[in-house]
Amino acid sequence: MSLFLSSLLLAASLLPASQARTLFKYERVQLTTEYLQTLPEEDALLFAFENTFEAAAVNKTVYRCRYYPGDGKWPSEKAWTKLSKQLTTPDLLIKATPQAAVCYPGDAQNDAKCQQLTSNWTNSYTHVNDPTEILSPVYQGLTCQPPSIYNSGNCTLGGYPAYVVNVKNVLDIQVAINFARNDGVRLVVKNTGHDFAGKSAGAAALSIWTHGLKDIQFFDSYVDDSGYKGPAFKAGAGVQAFELYKAANDHGVVVVGGEGQTVGIMGGYIQGGGHSPLSSIYGMAADHVLGVEMVTPTGEFVTANSSSNTDLFYAVRGGGGSTFGVVTSVTVKAYPDMPVSAATWNLDSSKIGKDRFWNAVRAWVDRFNDNADAGIYNYFIIAPNGTTVSFIMQPFFAPNKTSAQVTELLKPYFSRMTSLNVPFSPKITSYKGFYPAWQAEFPLESQSDVQTAVGSRLFPRSNFASEVGRNLSFSALKDVVDAGQSIIAFNMAPTLARGGNPDNAVNPAWRTSVLHAITGRRWDLKSSTTDILSVRKALTNGTMQKWRDITPGSGSYLNEADRLEPNWQQSFWGDKYAKLLEIKKNWDKKDVFWAVNAVGSEGWVVESVDGLPNENGRLCKVNGTATTSSGVVGATPAPKLRAF
Ligand SMILES: Cc1cc2nc3c(=O)[nH]c(=O)nc-3n(C[C@H](O)[C@H](O)[C@H](O)COP(=O)(O)OP(=O)(O)OC[C@H]3O[C@@H](n4cnc5c(N)ncnc54)[C@H](O)[C@@H]3O)c2cc1C
Ligand SMILES: *[C@@H]1O[C@H](CO)[C@@H](O)[C@H](O)[C@H]1NC(C)=O
Ligand SMILES: *[C@@H]1O[C@H](CO)[C@@H](O)[C@H](O)[C@H]1NC(C)=O
Ligand SMILES: *[C@@H]1O[C@H](CO)[C@@H](O)[C@H](O)[C@H]1NC(C)=O
Ligand SMILES: *[C@@H]1O[C@H](CO)[C@@H](O)[C@H](O)[C@H]1NC(C)=O
Ligand SMILES: *[C@@H]1O[C@H](CO)[C@@H](O)[C@H](O)[C@H]1NC(C)=O
Ligand SMILES: *[C@@H]1O[C@H](CO)[C@@H](O)[C@H](O)[C@H]1NC(C)=O
Ligand SMILES: *[C@@H]1O[C@H](CO)[C@@H](O)[C@H](O)[C@H]1NC(C)=O
Ligand SMILES: *[C@@H]1O[C@H](CO)[C@@H](O)[C@H](O)[C@H]1NC(C)=O
Ligand SMILES: *[C@@H]1O[C@H](CO)[C@@H](O)[C@H](O)[C@H]1NC(C)=O
């Protein structure tokens, strides 16, 4: 404890005054080389920064896979205890247990708790507030679900991490990164677990859980060297949409964030770009970032902004999470609050018949470019149900518009509906500001599907500029619904002209698109591995290929994507990929950070135990050779620390 305290004091005194001024209290608690020097060498080796190792010793550590429990080189109980002792408090190291262990035979079994958990299972808070849980259980490997939802047979850890550090400050993050890197343990980062492809989990990993980093600071007149003067927020990596929006409302401003209530707005969301109910006015969330604080793969804590570490600054604004380091806070621009109006409506083929239903949807497609240009974010679902199909507008979200303006905007559609003899009576509501509108119009979405694969595609504006294009695009959407799949879609235009600071890593395909459409294919719960793989193939190479064929050169949104997205480098980043890869290689020479389809992830693959694409297996080098049972190649010489 006394060593720990001295590290605190040392850390605080070493920081230059100008930087300390903008850091959160938890960012001033840092690991220092001076502190490491006070440890016995064998302990220092566990936690040392990368740059304090002898280069030659590090190079010779060759292994095909990250270590697994049971491998000779997997850290001993003693080493894990040592890790816990270097954290702010030892209880911050959590040995992972699946939540649903209460439902299976074993010490944790508890029928009452299992029942409660089961009834709450589709509520995102159940998963967000848990250290290991993710909202896409298919990619965890479904090894411990509540049995009445999916019977996992036995409850095992599967793709959940082995240990979690519930980080409270920068020091905890540095200790965790250094330990994982120095010991060949897989590292993952979990914030809320919302990622569609399961990127916040990983078998046998040490997980950095950023959920507790909740600080929020408002500047009514932030000034930075780049020339920006105006309101801004600095918010911790764990801050969620509902928290930042409330803070913004308290100060009479808005920030560009997502529609989902529990999404980690300063974590994977903003690092992957971030679309927003304000996107047709302000562009992507990543366009409004003024600076980030982060811990790099070598364990260093740095600021990345328009004048410091500019390559990292470019990369973390759209380049994706879990790639360049652990972000501890993000500073974003804020804008004056504005009134909002929203419209909702449903169409149901059981009431109007299929022909009129599809004519009405086809007429809606005609409106995409105009809606986007008018600043609207319209979020709709087309859901088949047996022989019927419904269209649910939830909502047509119109920032800075009165209900009269919304009525005016919907007028052309209204006349089309009249001529098509389709009853159309949208419910239009006006709100004083963004926060009450967002709260009322975006209900909590349900989670944890165990039998679906999803994919998404960005449809360019040009697809909707001609009748031929609109017909083609409409048919591609309708075919999917006719085949029994639902579509969840967002019509918006996060264009360059409106987006604040566009020189970032956001997928260029967003800039020309007006539609982000998501669909999925379900399999039967009893499906075999072969059956699941063939359903996945039908999605990836069937459904999605048809969408790709009519949107050549466009892309897909990495935060809401197919885990098996082909040619993902182009899909997620277009011509920005080469630059991002160079930045990744520069900052993470040892591939400490790895997530599926993340920048620079090509060299490794999860060898899943069931042959399905998921996190339940070892993370291994793609072209690794000569494996031993421990996954280690050759002898691993004792690493050496440079003389301090
Ligand atoms: C219900 C729902 C609603 C959604 N709504 C929207 C929306 O409106 N707009 C939109 O654009 N997207 C939306 N998304 C998608 C969302 O952007 C992604 O799921 C995103 O990855 C969430 O980030 P997170 O940090 O909350 O989640 P996590 O799954 O915890 O993290 C996502 C990825 O980022 C990494 N990561 C997280 N925090 C950090 C950090 N501090 N430093 C480094 N890496 C980190 C993780 O390792 C992981 O790879 C929604 C998703 C869901 C399930
Ligand atoms: C060790 O790595 C450095 C830089 O990555 C490289 O220049 C050097 O050749 C390597 N040494 C050995 C022995 O492989
Ligand atoms: C669900 O979880 C919430 C807390 O998030 C709790 O208040 C509620 O009682 C739970 N509901 C059930 C049915 O267990
Ligand atoms: C559960 O584990 C037991 C003991 O390891 C094993 O015999 C059994 O086959 C497992 N059941 C399933 C469904 O995997
Ligand atoms: C970037 O961060 C550094 C370090 O905190 C700071 O000195 C500099 O002023 C910042 N640059 C801008 C443009 O704010
Ligand atoms: C689907 O239709 C059936 C009746 O045919 C109905 O009971 C059910 O609620 C519908 N499901 C949805 C999601 O609308
Ligand atoms: C909102 O509308 C007002 C006029 O109605 C306009 O002056 C203002 O620029 C608009 N704000 C945004 C962000 O578009
Ligand atoms: C578009 O589709 C409609 C309905 O099928 C058809 O009448 C029209 O001719 C098509 N237009 C073009 C340009 O193909
Ligand atoms: C799609 O097709 C390619 C090329 O044939 C193949 O490599 C890939 O595995 C297929 N994808 C899926 C999900 O089956
Ligand atoms: C693996 O080896 C193959 C064949 O030599 C090569 O084409 C591929 O690029 C390699 N992949 C990686 C990630 O190194």
Side-chain angles (χ1 to χ4, degrees):
M1 198 52 174
S2 65
L3 284 181
F4 171 67
L5 281 179
S6 68
S7 82
L8 290 193
L9 296 172
L10 208 51
S13 63
L14 286 176
L15 290 164
S18 64
Q19 190 188 23
R21 196 161 35 100
T22 62
L23 297 182
F24 284 141
K25 208 164 141 196
Y26 70 72
E27 291 172 325
R28 287 186 228 132
V29 184
Q30 299 178 9
L31 183 69
T32 63
T33 304
E34 288 74 9
Y35 169 69
L36 290 167
Q37 275 180 300
T38 68
L39 298 177
E41 172 143 359
E42 61 162 322
D43 291 2
L45 281 168
L46 295 173
F47 306 109
F49 294 101
E50 186 171 349
N51 63 11
T52 55
F53 281 94
E54 296 277 6
V58 173
N59 284 4
K60 281 186 205 142
T61 311
V62 184
Y63 42 85
R64 193 179 79 87
C65 305
R66 297 282 189 237
Y67 300 128
Y68 228 57
D71 291 351
K73 294 278 177 182
W74 176 256
S76 62
E77 284 297 321
K78 204 170 131 201
W80 289 107
T81 304
K82 284 182 177 178
L83 168 61
S84 74
K85 287 190 175 148
Q86 295 304 327
L87 302 172
T88 305
T89 55
D91 61 317
L92 297 180
L93 183 70
I94 301 167
K95 194 166 186 174
T97 317
Q99 289 190 99
V102 295
C103 301
Y104 289 88
D107 295 345
Q109 191 167 24
N110 179 322
D111 290 347
K113 282 188 182 161
C114 176
Q115 219 162 39
Q116 166 134 349
L117 184 71
T118 305
S119 66
N120 256 356
W121 195 248
T122 58
N123 181 318
S124 60
Y125 287 93
T126 301
H127 308 284
V128 167
N129 296 335
D130 179 85
T132 66
E133 200 68 74
I134 58 172
L135 277 61
S136 46
V138 162
Y139 300 114
Q140 181 277 329
L142 298 170
T143 66
C144 193
Q145 294 286 299
S148 63
I149 292 167
Y150 180 87
N151 192 340
S152 302
N154 288 323
C155 171
T156 58
L157 269 183
Y160 292 122
Y163 286 89
V164 177
V165 180
N166 180 13
V167 299
K168 295 296 178 205
N169 53 41
V170 163
L171 177 140
D172 292 335
I173 296 171
Q174 293 174 305
V175 165
I177 292 178
N178 288 352
F179 181 87
R181 187 193 57 244
N182 297 353
D183 272 9
V185 173
R186 181 171 175 198
L187 185 74
V188 300
V189 183
K190 181 198 164 179
N191 185 27
T192 66
H194 276 76
D195 181 75
F196 273 37
K199 288 192 291 189
S200 28
L206 173 60
S207 173
I208 291 177
W209 189 29
T210 55
H211 187 57
L213 304 178
K214 293 284 193 187
D215 290 22
I216 297 178
Q217 186 181 4
F218 178 64
F219 305 87
D220 50 15
S221 181
Y222 186 90
V223 180
D224 103 356
D225 305 345
S226 71
Y228 180 75
K229 270 200 187 87
F233 275 100
K234 176 177 162 89
V239 169
Q240 291 167 266
F242 71 94
E243 295 161 327
L244 192 57
Y245 285 158
K246 180 173 186 312
N249 186 59
D250 290 346
H251 293 284
V253 295
V254 293
V255 287
V256 181
E259 55 83 16
Q261 285 178 31
T262 50
V263 167
I265 214 144
M266 295 314 188
Y269 167 83
I270 202 159
Q271 291 172 59
H275 67 78
S276 166
L278 299 175
S279 279
S280 294
I281 296 182
Y282 286 125
M284 303 293 281
D287 297 341
H288 305 277
V289 176
L290 291 161
V292 307
E293 262 70 54
M294 61 193 286
V295 182
T296 70
T298 61
E300 290 167 274
F301 178 69
V302 302
T303 293
N305 60 23
S306 62
S307 59
S308 292
N309 299 308
T310 51
D311 55 347
L312 276 182
F313 184 53
Y314 172 88
V316 296
R317 291 173 301 152
S322 199
T323 307
F324 305 98
V326 176
V327 167
T328 61
S329 71
V330 183
T331 303
V332 294
K333 296 175 188 172
Y335 299 94
D337 198 5
M338 57 185 117
V340 172
S341 295
T344 55
W345 66 88
N346 289 357
L347 300 170
D348 186 341
S349 75
S350 70
K351 299 196 178 105
I352 56 175
K354 280 229 166 131
D355 287 349
R356 281 196 296 165
F357 176 88
W358 284 115
N359 285 338
V361 175
R362 173 66 188 81
W364 186 241
V365 168
D366 283 344
R367 303 295 306 149
F368 284 174
N369 287 355
D370 288 344
N371 286 335
D373 290 340
I376 311 301
Y377 179 80
N378 82 74
Y379 174 19
F380 60 91
I381 294 172
I382 309 177
N385 180 12
T387 57
T388 67
V389 51
S390 45
F391 174 98
I392 304 150
M393 175 56 68
Q394 63 158 37
F396 176 92
F397 193 86
N400 210 21
K401 299 268 189 289
T402 62
S403 56
Q405 286 171 308
V406 167
T407 304
E408 192 62 29
L409 271 171
L410 290 175
K411 233 177 205 160
Y413 190 61
F414 190 85
S415 356
R416 290 288 299 283
M417 293 303 96
T418 306
S419 66
L420 292 169
N421 193 21
V422 173
F424 179 64
S425 49
K427 176 170 175 270
I428 301 176
T429 314
S430 288
Y431 303 88
K432 277 212 300 269
F434 176 84
Y435 185 58
W438 171 80
Q439 280 186 309
E441 299 290 339
F442 297 102
L444 192 63
E445 291 143 313
S446 71
Q447 302 306 326
S448 296
D449 198 318
V450 293
Q451 54 190 131
T452 309
V454 297
S456 69
R457 190 71 184 166
L458 296 168
F459 286 66
R461 170 183 294 269
S462 54
N463 273 45
F464 305 98
S466 68
E467 189 177 319
V468 178
R470 290 191 293 269
N471 275 2
L472 213 58
S473 304
F474 166 74
S475 296
L477 297 174
K478 180 172 181 290
D479 286 350
V480 164
V481 179
D482 285 343
Q485 302 158 238
S486 293
I487 291 173
I488 297 176
F490 302 84
N491 165 210
M492 71 183 115
T495 57
L496 275 178
R498 298 163 175 171
N501 181 353
D503 184 21
N504 59 25
V506 166
N507 190 344
W510 271 116
R511 307 308 187 179
T512 51
S513 83
V514 295
L515 185 74
H516 163 43
I518 303 172
T519 188
R521 271 184 184 259
R522 278 168 88 77
W523 53 84
D524 195 82
L525 271 184
K526 297 263 181 295
S527 299
S528 64
T529 298
T530 315
D531 292 343
I532 294 173
L533 288 174
S534 78
V535 171
R536 298 209 63 123
K537 185 171 192 153
L539 176 76
T540 305
N541 286 351
T543 308
M544 298 312 298
Q545 188 56 44
K546 287 184 188 150
W547 285 9
R548 287 191 288 271
D549 287 344
I550 59 158
T551 55
S554 188
S556 170
Y557 179 33
L558 73 110
N559 275 348
E560 299 183 318
D562 184 355
R563 189 172 163 119
L564 300 180
E565 178 74 16
N567 195 11
W568 50 267
Q569 296 90 337
Q570 187 282 328
S571 270
F572 298 158
W573 294 286
D575 60 6
K576 294 177 179 174
Y577 190 72
K579 177 171 174 178
L580 285 166
L581 184 60
E582 199 185 311
I583 297 170
K584 166 74 174 176
K585 285 185 168 160
N586 223 3
W587 286 91
D588 191 7
K589 297 194 167 60
K590 301 186 77 183
D591 292 341
V592 177
F593 285 82
W594 186 91
V596 69
N597 300 349
V599 170
S601 63
E602 294 87 348
W604 299 77
V605 66
V606 177
E607 298 183 346
S608 80
V609 298
D610 57 9
L612 289 169
N614 63 41
E615 291 295 340
N616 185 12
R618 285 175 185 268
L619 179 63
C620 298
K621 285 192 174 148
V622 169
N623 286 340
T625 49
T627 94
T628 64
S629 62
S630 67
V632 179
V633 181
T636 311
K640 279 209 184 77
L641 286 177
R642 217 177 272 145
F644 284 122

